[in-house]
Amino acid sequence: MSIRPIFVVAGVGNASGTGAAAARLFSKAGYRVALIARDQKSLQTLASKLSEDGGEAHPFAIPSYAPQDVRGAFTAIRKQWPKEQGNDIRVALWNTAAAVWKPFLEITDEEVKEGLEVNVAAAFAFSREVIKEFKSNELNELGKRGTLLFTGATAGIRGNVTTSAFAAGKFGERALSQSLAKEFGKDNIHVAHAIIDGPILTDRQRSRHDTEWQNDQNVRLDPESIAKAYVYLANQDRSAFTWELDLRPAHVKW
Ligand SMILES: NC(=O)c1ccc[n+]([C@@H]2O[C@H](COP(=O)([O-])OP(=O)(O)OC[C@H]3O[C@@H](n4cnc5c(N)ncnc54)[C@H](OP(=O)(O)O)[C@@H]3O)[C@@H](O)[C@H]2O)c1
Ligand SMILES: *[C@@H]1O[C@H](CO)[C@@H](O)[C@H](O)[C@H]1NC(C)=O
Ligand SMILES: *[C@@H]1O[C@H](CO)[C@@H](O)[C@H](O)[C@H]1NC(C)=O
């Protein structure tokens, strides 16, 4: 009789990374999946795959991560799965990031702007929609209304020689997540930030490394392994919420 909860993920790329892995695992865990990203074709392919595997997923393509476009995605989700019919958004993942890796003096005004607009302002817009949704939910069996997750990075806690623009954005994302965890904990809303402290095995990283690196689980993170941690966080009950965890492969120096 109960309607399956909805998992919303923003930032799916061409479906080789963390966003897509999380979509697959939450789908397996019984969630319906709302996919938000810019490329309609990749989203449609992933949604079809999840549906073939017994899940229910829908693509919600947006033209950009501008705040109004992010809000538009939530309007579309609500058209697809109306709240009045008992459809609750219970878990959301902000996974999108614009990565600028350049020495400080080479970074343009445009890149600074993009880093802050995508990594901070868009994360605010996404979080606002998610928190409003969660506030309208009843407490679930874990004693919470919802779980909002953020994919962070080493650059979210440490700047480095080519990360001035990127780190400014990722620090901002982390600051947002901590503030939300504090402000909405009293509403039984769980907010968690994951510091991904090492390279993730995405198609982009594959193209930069040899097969030995790709096959060595000691040196890079598997998107599926990160997604497992996200499911674990979503399953935490109100008496023991993690705000922040960090994940790194066994041999990464830290
Ligand atoms: N890859 C790594 O080695 C690594 C390491 C540590 C942390 N992280 C973090 O992991 C998250 C990404 O996960 P992933 O690497 O596995 O890739 P992913 O799941 O494929 O997602 C990355 C998303 O970021 C969006 N994106 C990329 N460049 C953008 C830009 N310039 N403007 C707007 N959006 C942009 C893309 O959105 P569309 O789908 O709309 O194209 C893409 O979906 C990020 O938060 C990143 O900081 C990554
Ligand atoms: C900082 O940058 C240097 C030079 O690119 C690199 O060797 C080092 O691993 C980086 N440190 C971290 C913590 O990412
Ligand atoms: C994703 O994009 C990379 C290039 O960035 C490409 O090599 C890879 O084949 C693409 N993967 C999929 C599943 O489309």
Side-chain angles (χ1 to χ4, degrees):
M1 79 166 221
S2 68
I3 302 181
R4 290 193 288 164
I6 297 167
F7 168 67
V8 181
V9 51
V12 182
N14 72 359
S16 74
T18 310
R24 283 192 294 273
L25 275 204
F26 277 94
S27 183
K28 272 195 199 138
Y31 289 78
R32 287 173 295 167
V33 178
L35 301 164
I36 302 176
R38 295 166 302 175
D39 184 32
Q40 166 70 22
K41 208 161 153 265
S42 320
L43 286 189
Q44 186 56 64
T45 307
L46 178 60
S48 305
K49 184 80 185 51
L50 294 175
S51 300
E52 277 164 30
D53 293 344
E56 186 183 346
H58 280 274
F60 298 95
I62 52 178
S64 81
Y65 287 99
Q68 67 273 18
D69 291 341
V70 172
R71 278 194 283 280
F74 281 82
T75 308
I77 291 170
R78 276 316 182 191
K79 241 182 164 168
Q80 176 69 31
W81 289 310
K83 179 76 183 172
E84 313 76 73
Q85 294 171 15
N87 299 298
D88 290 345
I89 295 175
R90 287 286 178 179
V91 184
L93 169 63
W94 177 254
N95 182 67
T96 302
V100 179
W101 295 82
K102 275 184 171 183
F104 174 69
L105 294 177
E106 291 173 21
I107 297 172
T108 63
D109 293 341
E110 224 12 79
E111 286 165 334
V112 173
K113 197 162 164 254
E114 186 186 27
L116 295 176
E117 282 181 354
V118 176
N119 300 317
V120 184
F124 266 78
F126 181 82
S127 301
R128 193 179 298 116
E129 297 310 304
V130 169
I131 295 285
K132 283 195 294 189
E133 286 288 344
F134 287 175
K135 281 180 79 94
S136 74
N137 288 344
E138 300 295 325
L139 295 179
N140 69 3
E141 66 289 356
L142 298 167
K144 58 182 176 180
R145 291 180 215 282
T147 308
L148 171 56
L149 305 166
F150 291 86
T151 303
T154 313
I157 51 162
R158 278 203 303 268
N160 200 354
V161 290
T162 56
T163 61
S164 55
F166 184 48
K170 292 304 264 190
F171 267 64
E173 176 194 21
R174 178 171 185 258
L176 169 66
S177 76
Q178 189 177 47
S179 304
L180 295 177
K182 294 201 176 199
E183 186 172 352
F184 296 103
K186 66 174 180 345
D187 297 311
N188 292 45
I189 289 172
H190 180 191
V191 180
H193 177 254
I195 302 164
I196 311 302
D197 191 20
I200 304 172
L201 187 65
T202 59
D203 280 346
R204 192 146 44 86
Q205 292 283 6
R206 272 178 210 283
S207 67
R208 288 192 196 147
H209 294 89
D210 57 22
T211 8
E212 196 193 334
W213 183 92
Q214 292 177 29
N215 294 332
D216 187 353
Q217 297 200 16
N218 287 312
V219 298
R220 81 293 182 287
L221 294 110
D222 252 312
E224 271 72 20
S225 308
I226 299 171
K228 269 190 225 162
Y230 290 166
V231 172
Y232 160 76
L233 288 169
N235 285 334
Q236 286 184 329
D237 70 72
R238 65 176 145 188
S239 80
F241 280 174
T242 293
W243 162 55
E244 184 162 69
L245 55 69
D246 55 9
L247 300 170
R248 62 182 65 79
H251 293 194
V252 155
K253 295 189 192 77
W254 61 301

